[in-house]
Amino acid sequence: MTFYFLEILLTAEELRKYDGSEGSPGTYLAILGEIFDVSAGNQYYGPGGGYSFFTAKDGSRAFVSGEFSEKGLTDDLEGLSHQDYLGLDDW
């Protein structure tokens, strides 16, 4: 399965449209502000998929914290450790 990094700019509101649901323009997620098309894994990232909580947002904090609630699914990285940043870079 191949995911693609997209060189596009979307606001958070625009990104929310890419949740993989029927009629949505695709299935996207973001890490550190970089947008990835994960449509090839829609069964995992689309509605009802095991990783759907990452979709249509930049949930960078959750990738390293493991906190998959709305509070953790944020692009706010304040307070993360140096090791956490290295972990995000691995994604």
Side-chain angles (χ1 to χ4, degrees):
M1 183 175 343
T2 304
F3 301 127
Y4 298 97
F5 166 66
L6 303 173
E7 293 189 35
I8 60 173
L9 293 174
L10 297 174
T11 65
E13 183 178 329
E14 291 169 330
L15 182 58
R16 283 193 288 273
K17 297 175 185 173
Y18 291 82
D19 65 359
S21 63
E22 188 174 329
S24 78
T27 309
Y28 292 0
L29 60 81
I31 303 173
L32 296 176
E34 294 184 357
I35 298 170
F36 294 86
D37 182 344
V38 294
S39 298
N42 204 50
Q43 69 271 31
Y44 306 108
Y45 292 96
Y51 298 107
S52 61
F53 46 82
F54 285 122
T55 306
K57 63 180 68 73
D58 186 329
S60 295
R61 178 177 283 279
F63 280 95
V64 293
S65 71
E67 186 177 339
F68 304 124
S69 68
E70 284 303 312
K71 180 181 176 186
L73 290 163
T74 179
D75 60 356
D76 179 6
L77 304 176
E78 186 175 338
L80 291 182
S81 70
H82 177 72
Q83 192 64 33
D84 289 334
Y85 282 99
L86 292 175
L88 276 170
D89 191 47
D90 285 342
W91 282 95

